[in-house]
Amino acid sequence: MSLETDLQDFLTYLQSEKRYSPHTLAAYHRDLDAFIAFGKERGIEQFKTVDDHVVRGFVASQHRKGLSGKSLQRQLSSIRSLFNWLCRHKRADSNPAQGVPAPRSVNRLPETLGVDQLDRLLAFKGDDALACRDRAVMELFYGCGLRLSELTGLDLGDIDWQQKTVMVTGKGSKQRVIPFGSKAEAAMKHWIKQRNGWLQQDEKALFISSRGTRISNSSVQQRLKKRALQQGVGISLHPHMLRHSFASHILESSNDLRAVQELLGHANLSTTQIYTHLDFQHLAGVYDKAHPRSRNK
């Protein structure tokens, strides 16, 4: 079979059986398209003829183009997944990417907002539909630690007003229930009153655009950046920053890493552990400011 046929069959498997999101599928497609293009330049027409030298050459070429270690790790993960699937279906004899390492990447801690910055961000005025929607979006982002796709994918029926919880569909279509507080509750109720003014059809999405359809990811990103600029927060705000802030603040207050893992919907605790480094940074900062022996005076 051709490289393209194998790739399409693999992507179909990820979509139909693994139930990966469109965003994840697009990432796999990009990574593997680049790998196929590299192979074709070297005369490769079937995955069976790919060996570890080809994979190492691909990684080296991508590294020379300036891709970070993290991006290369993701590409290698895509290639390994592809070859695992090919081996199961007898379309390859081994996984040539199995022992190929990616260059080390610098571990960057996620950016978070301080409590004062969040208060300033959410203190904007206005009771029109756009302001109510922006406020509800940000309160839910920070109040529940959602991913962008999780927020835009919410339906009205996902909200349990009596229990004050929201049913979130995360990666791999896994669902989790997250509680929300009084600020998020009030913001959502104000938005829902305004929502009917934009509604043009039987749309079940919680957050809709002025055209009456489900709001897009890019629209949310643009609104957050605009609000942060208007409020003088001093940073270029992106949705994941509110998720990071939620995790960091919850861990700082509770010291319960397992609970934060469940709330964020992380499959592995190791993913959540990065927030322990943020917590340590906070403690180190407090020590430096408060302890008389922390520095020379």
Side-chain angles (χ1 to χ4, degrees):
M1 291 189 182
S2 69
L3 299 172
E4 289 81 4
T5 300
D6 281 337
L7 174 57
Q8 191 55 55
D9 289 348
F10 174 63
L11 293 173
T12 300
Y13 157 76
L14 294 182
Q15 181 180 30
S16 61
E17 295 190 35
K18 300 291 285 185
R19 301 179 66 83
Y20 283 175
S21 69
H23 176 77
T24 303
L25 287 170
Y28 269 93
H29 207 160
R30 283 194 304 271
D31 292 343
L32 295 172
D33 270 346
F35 181 61
I36 287 175
F38 177 85
K40 282 191 167 183
E41 289 173 359
R42 283 144 187 84
I44 293 172
E45 297 181 357
Q46 289 187 332
F47 283 118
K48 276 192 174 185
T49 62
V50 173
D51 58 20
D52 64 324
H53 296 292
V54 175
V55 179
R56 290 177 189 275
F58 172 71
V59 171
S61 71
Q62 296 294 91
H63 190 45
R64 286 193 295 270
K65 290 178 182 178
L67 265 71
S68 67
K70 186 175 182 180
S71 295
L72 292 171
Q73 287 170 5
R74 189 201 66 236
Q75 288 186 331
L76 273 171
S77 177
S78 297
I79 296 170
R80 289 190 193 103
S81 296
L82 168 65
F83 273 95
N84 283 337
W85 181 85
L86 290 171
C87 288
R88 286 199 304 272
H89 290 80
K90 310 300 181 184
R91 301 189 192 184
D93 299 322
S94 62
N95 191 333
Q98 199 60 52
V100 178
R104 288 189 176 183
S105 58
V106 178
N107 287 327
R108 295 178 180 174
L109 295 178
E111 292 181 276
T112 62
L113 292 169
V115 175
D116 291 341
Q117 287 177 302
L118 280 160
D119 287 342
R120 191 182 314 130
L121 174 67
L122 293 165
F124 61 88
K125 297 180 181 179
D127 288 319
D128 59 288
L130 190 58
C132 286
R133 191 192 68 187
D134 286 354
R135 193 174 292 112
V137 162
M138 287 189 283
E139 287 286 3
L140 211 54
F141 254 137
Y142 175 59
C144 296
L146 303 181
R147 300 180 178 95
L148 176 58
S149 59
E150 292 173 347
L151 180 127
T152 56
L154 286 176
D155 295 332
L156 286 169
D158 294 327
I159 309 296
D160 186 330
W161 297 105
Q162 186 173 2
Q163 297 295 324
K164 292 187 179 181
T165 59
V166 57
M167 175 70 76
V168 176
T169 303
K171 291 184 177 181
S173 297
K174 293 181 180 178
Q175 293 187 317
R176 66 188 190 278
V177 177
I178 308 175
F180 55 80
S182 57
K183 295 284 188 182
E185 179 185 19
M188 283 193 292
K189 285 183 175 178
H190 281 128
W191 154 241
I192 287 173
K193 289 179 182 178
Q194 297 282 358
R195 178 181 178 275
N196 291 334
W198 283 355
L199 201 61
Q200 297 179 10
Q201 55 186 354
D202 187 19
E203 175 58 67
K204 62 182 181 179
L206 173 61
F207 294 111
I208 60 174
S209 68
S210 57
R211 298 186 299 275
T213 56
R214 187 181 298 274
I215 194 172
S216 67
N217 289 355
S218 59
S219 178
V220 173
Q221 291 171 321
Q222 291 168 7
R223 294 304 305 167
L224 291 185
K225 286 183 182 296
K226 185 170 183 178
R227 286 296 181 187
L229 184 64
Q230 288 176 343
Q231 294 302 107
V233 175
I235 56 171
S236 179
L237 183 65
H238 57 81
H240 231 60
M241 199 177 293
L242 293 174
R243 176 173 161 87
H244 291 324
S245 302
F246 162 86
S248 179
H249 296 167
I250 290 288
L251 184 60
E252 184 180 313
S253 300
S254 68
N255 201 31
D256 191 336
L257 194 63
R258 286 286 183 185
V260 175
Q261 178 193 5
E262 291 294 325
L263 290 169
L264 291 176
H266 285 162
N268 299 309
L269 190 62
S270 59
T271 309
T272 318
Q273 284 175 333
I274 190 170
Y275 297 107
T276 63
H277 298 296
L278 289 175
D279 194 32
F280 177 78
Q281 279 193 336
H282 168 74
L283 293 174
V286 171
Y287 177 87
D288 287 341
K289 290 179 181 179
H291 200 284
R293 295 290 189 183
S294 66
R295 61 185 182 277
N296 293 327
K297 295 184 179 180

